[in-house]
Amino acid sequence: MSKKGEMSEFLIVGFPDLQREYFHLVAWFFFVLYVITVVGNLILVVVFALEPSLQKPMYIIMVSLALSDIGFTTVALPKLIARYWWNDGSIGVHTCFFQRHMIHYFGSLNSLILLTMALDRCLAVCFPFRYPLLMTVPNMLGLTVFSWIIAHIFPGIGTINFTFASFCGPNRIIQAFCDTLSLTALVCGETNQYGASYGAAMFILYFPLGFIIVSYFWIIFSVFRMSNNQGKKKTISTCATQGFIIAIYYLPRFFVYSTPFFPNLTMTADKRMVTTLFYSFFPPLINPFIYCLRTKEIQDIFKRWIQRQKSIAQG
């Protein structure tokens, strides 16, 4: 048995059955994924900063989501890339605790951002006349700052538990990064106290989800009362797209988090890791396109920029 103080590092294993000849290919895949995700989300942040016309409540939410996605991928992917590029999977114990905390922090933050987005859309569609009074830029900034602060509370419960835990060998983490399930599997002795971490994770995920579902019912009910068919189609299209992303974000998480607590739910290490990677990195990859780059206002901004560059080049 090894005490936490005696264990100086963990080893990120990644895919346990992956052959070494595929390591560089996997490293390149995650490197390209990281670059596309960061650049795509960073473009949105830059556009928002340069265009005063975008400094509205809805775009504040989008920028908050973009910054959160950049933070998450930056915390999670570089070590995974190093694991397969240089076969360097070692990570210090306290660095692992920090990564676990930030992984779950950004997961909690995204859940709160999606809640704020649902609130914004619900007010805009269901209460269009009150919306300008209720959802002002200062109010949205306040909600955003509140979300970024309070999101630390829920993963903090697990961080405190792990700080005082003892870990038994081996020190191998069968996952792409340090997370609660992987670290719990290495804790010595009884791990019932980590049910509090599970409960906190379920609350921060599914309380917002419950509100999101209710808000979408309100939106759909309001849409069917509209007389403008074009407005109906636009709203339904937006809701369907956002609903797809929300389903990807929430549903797989439930199965991954709940597997250890339900004997009938089983997942191999590779399947759990693939599922985790899918719901962790697919939404940040496509969020800039789903929420932002496909909106007409941002498309018009890009067209103006391109036209301006053409005029400068010709002049």
Side-chain angles (χ1 to χ4, degrees):
M1 181 182 296
S2 300
K3 292 291 183 183
K4 181 191 67 173
E6 299 171 0
M7 186 176 287
S8 60
E9 64 181 25
F10 295 109
L11 179 67
I12 302 291
V13 174
F15 294 100
D17 298 326
L18 185 68
Q19 302 298 317
R20 285 187 64 89
E21 56 262 32
Y22 299 112
F23 276 23
H24 277 193
L25 180 63
V26 171
W28 272 108
F29 171 78
F30 286 119
F31 176 74
V32 172
L33 174 67
Y34 177 69
V35 171
I36 294 175
T37 301
V38 171
V39 170
N41 285 283
L42 199 56
I43 287 174
L44 171 64
V45 176
V46 171
V47 172
F48 176 82
L50 295 179
E51 286 290 333
S53 63
L54 292 183
Q55 293 171 14
K56 303 173 183 176
M58 187 59 190
Y59 289 106
I60 292 174
I61 302 174
M62 292 179 177
V63 169
S64 181
L65 184 62
L67 291 172
S68 178
D69 287 341
I70 291 172
F72 178 84
T73 52
T74 300
V75 168
L77 277 179
K79 189 61 195 178
L80 182 60
I81 294 169
R83 164 71 182 98
Y84 288 114
W85 218 323
W86 299 291
N87 198 24
D88 177 17
S90 62
I91 183 170
V93 169
H94 295 291
T95 305
C96 185
F97 291 165
F98 175 77
Q99 187 188 51
R100 187 218 70 88
H101 179 87
M102 297 308 295
I103 289 288
H104 292 290
Y105 165 71
F106 284 116
S108 301
L109 177 59
N110 276 17
S111 187
L112 294 174
I113 291 172
L114 292 175
L115 169 63
T116 306
M117 186 179 294
L119 174 64
D120 179 83
R121 290 299 85 200
C122 184
L123 290 175
V125 175
C126 303
F127 306 98
F129 297 109
R130 296 183 182 179
Y131 176 81
L133 299 175
L134 296 174
M135 199 55 74
T136 61
V137 169
N139 287 346
M140 181 55 71
L141 286 173
L143 282 173
T144 301
V145 171
F146 177 75
S147 297
W148 279 77
I149 294 173
I150 200 173
H152 276 294
I153 295 175
F154 300 94
I157 296 173
T159 301
I160 294 171
N161 285 336
F162 285 121
T163 299
F164 295 101
S166 297
F167 293 89
C168 299
N171 63 344
R172 293 158 57 86
I173 292 178
I174 313 297
Q175 184 52 281
F177 40 70
C178 297
D179 67 349
T180 296
L181 293 179
S182 301
L183 286 175
T184 301
L186 303 180
V187 172
C188 303
E190 187 60 51
T191 58
N192 287 339
Q193 67 269 31
Y194 296 95
S197 299
Y198 172 79
M202 291 299 99
F203 177 81
I204 194 60
L205 286 175
Y206 293 104
F207 174 76
L209 178 61
F211 179 86
I212 290 169
I213 291 173
V214 171
S215 70
Y216 271 69
F217 276 115
W218 283 343
I219 290 172
I220 292 171
F221 178 74
S222 298
V223 165
F224 282 113
R225 296 173 59 188
M226 290 181 179
S227 57
N228 185 346
N229 289 330
Q230 188 65 28
K232 282 184 181 180
K233 290 179 181 179
K234 183 179 179 181
T235 305
I236 291 173
S237 174
T238 301
C239 289
T241 304
Q242 294 182 358
F244 172 70
I245 298 299
I246 289 168
I248 290 175
Y249 183 82
Y250 284 105
L251 296 181
R253 270 182 166 82
F254 173 78
F255 290 106
V256 170
Y257 290 171
S258 301
T259 296
F261 298 91
F262 295 93
N264 294 329
L265 290 177
T266 58
M267 268 189 171
T268 65
D270 282 333
K271 287 181 179 178
R272 183 167 77 89
M273 186 170 165
V274 168
T275 305
T276 302
L277 292 176
F278 175 70
Y279 71 64
S280 296
F281 298 121
F282 184 65
L285 177 67
I286 65 173
N287 277 342
F289 305 95
I290 294 297
Y291 289 126
C292 311
L293 301 182
R294 70 192 292 263
T295 61
K296 187 177 185 303
E297 195 166 3
I298 292 182
Q299 288 176 359
D300 290 341
I301 290 172
F302 281 127
K303 288 177 182 177
R304 288 203 307 269
W305 285 6
I306 293 172
Q307 191 62 41
R308 192 181 307 160
Q309 293 301 318
K310 286 182 178 178
S311 300
I312 294 173
Q314 291 173 358

